[in-house]
Amino acid sequence: MAVERDVFGISGPTYMKSVDWNCEHNRRSVAASLVQAVYVLERDRQLNRQSGEALAPPWWEFFHFELIRKLIDDADMSTFGAIFEFNPPSSEGASAVNAPRFVIAFRGTITEKDTISRDLSLDLHLVQNGLHRTSRFTIAMQAVQNVASVFPGSKIWLAGHSLGAGMAILTGRNMVKKGALLESFLFNPPFVAAPIERIRDERVKHGFRIAQSVITAGLTIAMKGKSEGNSQRSVAEESFSILSSWTPYLYVNPGDHICSEYIGYFQHRKNMEDLGAGFIEKLATQNSIGDLFFKALGWESEPLHLLPSADLIVNVSPSPDFKYAHGINQWWQTELNLQCSKYRY
């Protein structure tokens, strides 16, 4: 128990005697803990903690998972993800019917000397809608595809935090295009746009969002008018429509400006439909000003935050500071004030 306490801490999920796989809180806690396991795996590597000194194993062993493979970045040799396989004791077989067979988890940025250079460069690629052009994504995508192809029909979860949530979104989106809808748990996923959600005055905030939608829709129409024909428009719209069948779980904290914009993104879409401006918002929700700018420069751009459908879970419990609001550890706490909304395109 001493090692377990060191790893989980007082607020960790040690209270669980067994996992109820039909319980949203239990499922969220397991997914967040396996993402934390990837963070600790990398810290074990950096600090050369091996065998009995390693602090990562309790994070998956506690929930009866096995570490199948570490995902290693080819640039700095850091562990950025991991594949876990569920192996419950025979006594829990019946109660684990809805459990995933595999969970593929991705960590976020670690600001230590061994990882900070590579992680920050990937953060920059994410801001430029270019995470899909990185070798880390290629490694992640190959891993997800391999698991899905070798074990067809198996229940696979994707999970990630911050930069890792961006990686999970990108792999999840690409799997949708291949006909596979993977259950995805995205903690503090980055939203690359102006932080309008931080504006306190609701009328000013609403006015900014309307103006942004009108500008985005106008630029979209103008750029499509210069395209070679209607085929590009139909392909883009069809792609967004196909993606709408995927419904990831987005876990967002209003005190975290990196992800809080998702709150306004989905609510504003509903507001515009209620105002009878659905056509404008349909164009705006499929595009972003940044994405249009990059494409105008001739850059291949794939904005991760443009999601047609999602289950948005907002932690409205008080956050003492940004570090807590952006942290992964909030998501396995027992007493959270969560507001859940379902958005379908």
Side-chain angles (χ1 to χ4, degrees):
M1 289 298 292
V3 173
E4 190 171 272
R5 181 178 297 276
D6 287 341
V7 176
F8 287 120
I10 295 174
S11 60
T14 52
Y15 69 92
M16 289 186 186
K17 301 301 182 184
S18 62
V19 177
D20 179 357
W21 294 101
N22 295 314
C23 173
E24 292 300 322
H25 169 66
N26 282 195
R27 290 154 56 85
R28 181 186 73 246
S29 297
V30 171
S33 295
L34 293 180
V35 172
Q36 175 68 359
V38 182
Y39 277 107
V40 183
L41 272 171
E42 173 53 23
R43 290 298 287 152
D44 281 348
R45 183 192 73 87
Q46 292 180 8
L47 299 175
N48 197 30
R49 295 190 296 235
Q50 300 179 14
S51 303
E53 296 180 346
L55 298 182
W59 284 98
W60 61 79
E61 292 174 349
F62 186 83
F63 302 107
H64 305 300
F65 280 88
E66 295 179 359
L67 175 63
I68 301 303
R69 178 189 165 193
K70 298 177 185 178
L71 302 181
I72 308 299
D73 191 290
D74 62 348
D76 62 1
M77 304 309 293
S78 67
T79 301
F80 73 89
I83 303 173
F84 302 99
E85 183 174 12
F86 187 49
N87 186 22
S90 56
S91 59
E92 296 186 13
S95 62
V97 173
N98 292 320
R101 180 171 179 184
F102 297 98
V103 177
I104 305 171
F106 306 101
R107 67 165 174 83
T109 302
I110 296 180
T111 55
E112 299 291 339
K113 63 179 182 179
D114 291 347
T115 49
I116 188 170
S117 177
R118 174 61 168 168
D119 284 0
L120 289 181
S121 71
L122 288 164
D123 289 332
L124 181 59
H125 275 91
L126 190 149
V127 170
Q128 296 174 337
N129 297 334
L131 193 60
H132 61 290
R133 295 192 296 268
T134 65
S135 60
R136 182 178 289 190
F137 165 68
T138 300
I139 295 167
M141 192 66 216
Q142 288 175 345
V144 174
Q145 282 184 283
N146 288 343
V147 174
S149 60
V150 173
F151 302 95
S154 295
K155 186 175 293 186
I156 301 170
W157 284 7
L158 296 177
H161 172 248
S162 193
L163 172 62
M167 193 68 68
I169 291 175
L170 192 54
T171 53
R173 288 168 64 107
N174 278 269
M175 290 304 293
V176 173
K177 298 173 185 177
K178 299 178 183 298
L181 304 180
L182 304 185
E183 198 160 358
S184 302
F185 297 78
L186 311 173
F187 302 100
N188 301 82
F191 193 105
V192 183
I196 299 176
E197 190 62 27
R198 301 188 71 184
I199 299 174
R200 295 183 179 274
D201 191 303
E202 289 297 325
R203 290 179 300 178
V204 174
K205 185 191 298 185
H206 189 49
F208 265 109
R209 293 199 185 283
I210 292 176
Q212 185 181 57
S213 292
V214 172
I215 293 171
T216 303
L219 289 173
T220 301
I221 293 172
M223 289 188 64
K224 286 179 178 178
K226 295 180 179 180
S227 65
E228 295 179 358
N230 293 327
S231 59
Q232 184 175 347
R233 177 171 61 236
S234 62
V235 169
E237 292 177 355
E238 181 180 357
S239 176
F240 202 75
S241 179
I242 292 173
L243 191 60
S244 66
S245 59
W246 180 51
T247 310
Y249 298 100
L250 305 185
Y251 297 95
V252 170
N253 190 310
D256 176 13
H257 62 269
I258 292 176
C259 66
S260 62
E261 195 60 24
Y262 276 107
I263 301 171
Y265 171 75
F266 285 108
Q267 184 59 48
H268 176 64
R269 195 168 74 186
K270 183 178 183 300
N271 292 341
M272 291 291 279
E273 291 172 355
D274 293 342
L275 289 172
F279 173 73
I280 292 176
E281 190 56 26
K282 182 179 180 181
L283 292 176
T285 200
Q286 296 179 25
N287 300 274
S288 71
I289 294 176
D291 179 46
L292 295 171
F293 173 75
F294 291 132
K295 287 180 177 177
L297 294 177
W299 297 0
E300 183 185 357
S301 174
E302 185 169 352
L304 305 182
H305 60 276
L306 301 181
L307 294 172
S309 306
D311 284 355
L312 183 68
I313 300 95
V314 181
N315 180 12
V316 295
S317 303
S319 297
D321 50 36
F322 169 76
K323 182 178 180 180
Y324 177 86
H326 187 65
I328 184 67
N329 63 319
Q330 66 186 292
W331 298 112
W332 59 69
Q333 305 297 330
T334 55
E335 297 185 9
L336 290 179
N337 185 4
L338 300 180
Q339 294 181 351
C340 307
S341 303
K342 297 180 182 294
Y343 295 98
R344 303 295 182 266
Y345 183 70

